[in-house]
Amino acid sequence: MEKIRLSKLMSQKGLCSRREADDYIERGWVFVDGERISQLGIKVFPTQEIKLARMAQAQQCDQITVLLHKPVGYVSGQPERGYKPAISLINRESQFQDNKTPSSFSPPNLKGMAPAGRLDIDSSGLLVFTQDGRIARKLIGAESEIEKEYLVRVEGALSQRTLDLLSYGLSLDGQALKRAAVVQQNKDQLRFILKEGRKRQIRRMCELVGLKVTGLKRVRIGKVRLGELPLGKWRYLRQGEEF
């Protein structure tokens, strides 16, 4: 059995992100088999026990995750010329107020906030921003199996063969796609459930079978649904909510 870099192993175990792991190690907040570790770059065996100090656990509890109902025309990540980043919608005026999420907005909430996944500029729906590396890895890590559900309006001829191909049998960029669940909702709407998120995946899948996407909305990520969140509004991930 080979040793592995401690920060990488902590990320693989879902304890935190690699960046957070390095920070915790430098602060002396990591213990391996009961021994405090404060040296970066150290390697350990995958079977060794890793624990975080209470200070690290408390810091993780303070990390914020936000759910945004992204409108069309906003980019998920870095700003693009002529378009605004979706994170610009996370402000006091656009916070969705209800009795389940009483926390009010504060500008420091945006520090270290990053999108956990993409949603194309011409798509709307649920977009997650988080400061928590554990959530980011769960949603977009290489081993993620989290389902994403979409409602998709299309133009073109629909048949059972088309649905079968969309569900399994297509490839993008020379790589086979994972099995998906694709069902027809009505004459021009499909419901997609995917466990991966390649760039413009659904639009490209539809093009391969002769369909044109005219509207795309993400309504669920894992166990968290868009629900009643209005377009352009955001809310905090509620206590007890998990992806």
Side-chain angles (χ1 to χ4, degrees):
M1 184 182 297
E2 293 186 2
K3 288 186 174 181
I4 185 172
R5 190 181 174 100
L6 177 56
S7 58
K8 181 178 181 180
L9 183 60
M10 291 170 66
S11 175
Q12 289 179 349
K13 288 179 175 289
L15 295 173
C16 57
S17 69
R18 293 183 70 167
R19 179 182 57 80
E20 290 168 335
D22 285 338
D23 180 51
Y24 296 161
I25 292 168
E26 285 188 308
R27 292 170 181 255
W29 290 354
V30 180
F31 295 84
V32 178
D33 289 342
E35 178 184 353
R36 186 188 301 271
I37 303 297
S38 57
Q39 179 183 345
L40 291 176
I42 193 170
K43 293 185 176 183
V44 298
F45 290 110
T47 54
Q48 290 183 267
E49 182 183 53
I50 303 172
K51 288 189 175 181
L52 298 180
R54 266 186 269 179
M55 291 81 79
Q57 295 173 2
Q59 183 170 299
Q60 288 182 326
C61 289
D62 290 337
Q63 291 173 326
I64 291 168
T65 297
V66 160
L67 310 178
L68 170 69
H69 187 165
K70 187 188 88 68
V72 169
Y74 286 80
V75 293
S76 300
Q78 295 298 318
E80 296 181 15
R81 187 174 181 179
Y83 298 99
K84 293 182 178 180
I87 198 169
S88 66
L89 291 170
I90 303 175
N91 53 53
R92 185 173 286 107
E93 290 71 29
S94 60
Q95 183 178 4
F96 178 54
Q97 299 288 351
D98 63 6
N99 57 11
K100 297 179 183 178
T101 51
S103 300
S104 59
F105 174 79
S106 175
N109 291 163
L110 296 178
K111 184 179 179 181
M113 188 80 73
R118 294 189 303 262
L119 196 56
D120 298 334
I121 194 169
D122 43 5
S123 300
S124 65
L126 183 58
L127 182 61
V128 177
F129 288 86
T130 187
Q131 298 170 332
D132 194 330
R134 297 168 300 173
I135 289 178
R137 184 177 182 277
K138 185 174 184 179
L139 298 187
I140 60 176
E143 299 174 358
S144 176
E145 288 291 320
I146 295 292
E147 290 184 347
K148 286 92 172 177
E149 183 176 343
Y150 305 81
L151 297 180
V152 184
R153 291 202 174 276
V154 296
E155 291 179 351
L158 285 169
S159 66
Q160 188 58 51
R161 174 61 176 163
T162 300
L163 296 176
D164 290 344
L165 279 173
L166 289 170
S167 296
Y168 188 66
L170 298 179
S171 297
L172 292 177
D173 304 320
Q175 186 176 358
L177 296 172
K178 293 181 180 180
R179 186 177 293 277
V182 183
V183 296
Q184 186 172 356
Q185 299 290 106
N186 53 50
K187 66 176 184 178
D188 63 353
Q189 182 169 288
L190 302 175
R191 182 182 299 272
F192 279 71
I193 299 177
L194 307 180
K195 287 188 177 181
E196 59 187 329
R198 310 243 196 120
K199 188 173 182 179
R200 300 182 70 81
Q201 178 173 335
I202 291 177
R203 296 176 189 276
R204 294 169 68 196
M205 289 171 68
C206 287
E207 287 176 4
L208 290 174
V209 296
L211 299 176
K212 178 183 178 181
V213 172
T214 59
L216 191 154
K217 181 178 181 180
R218 184 158 61 201
V219 296
R220 177 174 65 88
I221 299 177
K223 301 174 187 174
V224 176
R225 292 188 172 276
L226 183 64
E228 77 282 7
L229 187 62
L231 185 67
K233 297 289 187 177
W234 66 273
R235 67 173 177 83
Y236 292 108
L237 187 70
R238 295 167 182 150
Q239 187 173 8
E241 262 186 325
E242 294 183 0
F243 292 99

